[in-house]
Amino acid sequence: MPDNVHIKYLLNEDEMPRTWYNIMADLPKPPPAVLHPGTHQPVGPDDLAPLFPMALIMQEVSTEPYIEIPEPVRQVYNQWRPTPLFRARRLEKALDTPARIYYKYEGVSPVGSHKPNTAVAQAFYNQQEGVKKLSTETGAGQWGSALAMAGAFFGIDVEIFMVKISYQQKPYRRSIMQAYGATVHASPTNLTDAGRSILAQDPENMGSLGIAISEAVEVAAKSGGTTKYSLGSVLNHVLLHQTIIGEEALLQMEKAGDYPDVVIGCVGGGSNFSGLAFPFVGQMLRKGLKTRFLAAEPMACPSLTKGIYAYDFGDTVGMTPLVKMHTLGHDFMPPGIHAGGLRYHGMAPVVSLLHEEGIIDAQAYHQNAVFEASVLFARSEGIIPAPEAGHAVRAVVDEALKAKESGKEQVILFNLSGHGHFDMAAYDAYFAGKLQDFEYPAEAVAAAQQRMPQVV
Ligand SMILES: Cc1ncc(COP(=O)(O)O)c(C=O)c1O
């Protein structure tokens, strides 16, 4: 039985795991092939070479169960890793629940989220292959600031296409990226064909992640090899780098003398959820354990709960390879009133596959309920959750209340993927009663399906 005093389970620097866990080795069936956007034939490493360094392409297709974390990456990780695992005793008390609630806290990284776990690795592998510049997209700026910092560490220029509405509404996010030396544009821009084509149709377009991805991909594809593209979620190698979270959590749960019945994370593209959950999924698949996995997403952008499992583009203009995933359609525009982040139209193919296989459950939440739970969390645990992470907090509170009703001693583990210090405008809107709940209509998804590539 776990003791009744500790709230924090720490690992020493030298206890940090030396490998990332690759779930591809344990999947119940192989993931569907990635297809060329023009020919619809499976892509090979050479097709991806204009965009990514070979080391990352090899990780993308690797089936090795464990992949060593290079020493220079470990050194950077050690500035804030291993991250703490907390027992949320005051939240348990506030909810009067028999559930034991643990959370892994990724907000201790310099930029305040889990994103540097992959940004640092990606910058390292690009530097190893002589890449001078990385292009990328960012929504509210969490990913952009992580890659900007990693670029500064490894001497790589970073060019960021930031969704225009966030660029205008969140000027300090832009300043953070600039402080790390990155160049930031409000997307759609006039700098790329993709941006120009969107602006020609709609000069007032306020941008989306899908559009910003199109612009960043185009910059890399046309650079003649000097610039590569970097993505902060969705891809296998990104999920792989994030598994440092779950690998640490496995050791920390052991220190706590407990094991989760349910593992919870919020999902945008799926990286922080996978980072925590996949090592536990691996344990379940190998040892036949009974663990539930719950992905929490917004009602306003419900890719897992309402999206279609189909081949689609990763970007809006249709430049990326086609991947089979849960998607709301590559031309999805998130509703302007949504304040909680997690606005990407698709979901990581591996998370999508595991959802199809019944291994991962998903639940969508309204934003007022998310902020209500986040405020309760802040008042009991002290940490103000990033609105994205607040979706996981909502799911945890609901699980803990269900445990109270049934009197069951549930063990809940979740990922608090970041703090909300840069998101207080969204909290302000919540306090002022200005947040509207919005459910993305099923008809819009059905209509978007008509515009998805028809893969036979
Ligand atoms: C703090 C935080 N959590 C979660 C996410 C969602 O991304 P993912 O699903 O890849 O973890 C983001 C995305 O920007 C984020 O900033």
Side-chain angles (χ1 to χ4, degrees):
M1 269 309 276
D3 60 69
N4 56 11
V5 284
H6 289 119
I7 61 155
K8 194 162 73 188
Y9 299 92
L10 300 176
L11 299 172
N12 295 325
E13 232 174 89
D14 54 11
E15 288 177 294
M16 188 178 77
R18 294 182 168 267
T19 51
W20 292 301
Y21 167 65
N22 184 12
I23 197 159
M24 303 298 261
D26 292 312
L27 286 181
K29 64 183 197 194
V34 174
L35 305 180
H36 189 280
T39 63
H40 292 190
Q41 294 303 307
V43 297
D46 288 347
D47 295 309
L48 298 173
L51 297 186
F52 304 107
M54 211 31 89
L56 292 177
I57 295 172
M58 289 302 137
Q59 287 184 356
E60 193 62 20
V61 294
S62 169
T63 52
E64 286 295 309
Y66 290 97
I67 294 179
E68 192 166 329
I69 306 173
E71 185 55 33
V73 175
R74 288 174 51 80
Q75 270 191 21
V76 178
Y77 276 4
N78 271 151
Q79 189 183 337
W80 68 92
R81 306 208 71 86
T83 61
L85 176 84
F86 290 106
R87 170 95 183 261
R89 290 188 188 272
R90 290 188 300 270
L91 179 66
E92 290 169 16
K93 207 166 171 193
L95 294 169
D96 187 25
T97 175
R100 299 196 286 282
I101 303 172
Y102 295 87
Y103 60 100
K104 188 75 170 145
Y105 183 42
E106 290 295 305
V108 291
S109 82
V111 293
S113 78
H114 65 294
K115 301 279 179 182
N117 296 333
T118 184
V120 169
Q122 292 191 42
F124 166 76
Y125 288 116
N126 275 284
Q127 183 224 41
Q128 291 286 291
E129 295 185 27
V131 175
K132 299 284 176 263
K133 190 165 127 184
L134 284 170
S135 62
T136 196
E137 70 292 328
T138 197
Q142 290 273 21
W143 166 244
S145 43
L147 193 68
M149 180 186 79
F153 290 168
F154 289 96
I156 296 179
D157 290 340
V158 178
E159 183 171 5
I160 301 171
F161 291 85
M162 183 176 188
V163 174
K164 191 180 277 174
I165 187 147
S166 299
Y167 185 96
Q168 290 177 353
Q169 288 179 352
K170 300 179 177 173
Y172 296 127
R173 292 289 185 86
R174 188 191 344 141
S175 318
I176 292 172
M177 293 180 260
Q178 285 168 339
Y180 289 124
T183 307
V184 189
H185 311 292
S187 166
T189 71
N190 269 315
L191 301 169
T192 63
D193 287 344
R196 283 187 291 268
S197 75
I198 298 281
L199 289 173
Q201 288 162 30
D202 174 13
E204 304 305 317
N205 190 298
M206 292 310 279
S208 72
L209 272 174
I211 295 169
I213 293 174
S214 297
E215 294 207 87
V217 166
E218 184 180 326
V219 165
K222 290 187 174 163
S223 73
T226 55
T227 301
K228 299 276 182 193
Y229 167 67
S230 173
L231 186 61
S233 190
V234 179
L235 297 176
N236 299 341
H237 67 264
V238 178
L239 276 42
L240 172 81
H241 301 151
Q242 292 295 351
T243 60
I244 184 73
I245 303 171
E247 287 295 307
E248 287 178 2
L250 277 170
L251 301 174
Q252 288 164 307
M253 288 303 296
E254 210 174 300
K255 285 201 178 196
D258 234 343
Y259 195 86
D261 297 305
V262 55
V263 178
I264 296 175
C266 67
V267 285
S271 75
N272 87 85
F273 169 79
S274 305
L276 177 65
F278 282 3
F280 289 88
V281 174
Q283 295 292 307
M284 180 178 81
L285 294 174
R286 288 180 198 170
K287 298 182 181 166
L289 304 174
K290 277 205 167 35
T291 315
R292 262 182 70 217
F293 297 92
L294 178 58
E297 65 180 11
M299 282 278 191
C301 183
S303 51
L304 271 179
T305 50
K306 274 201 184 156
I308 293 161
Y309 186 52
Y311 273 103
D312 201 1
F313 297 106
D315 70 322
T316 298
V317 171
M319 300 170 64
T320 67
L322 298 175
V323 291
K324 195 157 186 191
M325 60 180 175
H326 287 84
T327 174
L328 299 167
H330 56 275
D331 51 4
F332 170 77
M333 285 297 286
I337 47 117
H338 176 60
L342 309 173
R343 294 180 182 88
Y344 186 57
H345 67 272
M347 182 52 59
V350 178
V351 174
S352 297
L353 177 70
L354 291 170
H355 183 52
E356 281 296 294
E357 293 293 304
I359 291 172
I360 291 173
D361 288 343
Q363 179 82 42
Y365 300 91
H366 276 305
Q367 57 181 348
N368 279 296
V370 164
F371 280 94
E372 182 197 35
S374 298
V375 167
L376 172 68
F377 188 87
R379 289 176 191 175
S380 39
E381 294 297 309
I383 300 169
I384 299 175
E388 294 89 349
H391 291 75
V393 175
R394 178 75 253 174
V396 167
V397 167
D398 288 356
E399 285 295 316
L401 292 175
K402 268 192 253 163
K404 180 180 173 179
E405 245 170 58
S406 65
K408 234 177 88 188
E409 272 195 32
Q410 275 271 78
V411 179
I412 302 171
L413 169 65
F414 81 100
N415 201 10
L416 191 63
S417 54
H419 66 65
H421 297 177
F422 306 128
D423 300 284
M424 296 319 291
Y427 277 86
D428 269 355
Y430 169 68
F431 293 134
K434 287 188 186 150
L435 290 186
Q436 287 162 36
D437 287 336
F438 173 78
E439 189 168 347
Y440 194 69
E443 305 81 66
V445 186
Q449 192 178 15
Q450 307 300 316
R451 301 186 295 274
M452 287 179 202
Q454 300 305 310
V455 175
V456 281

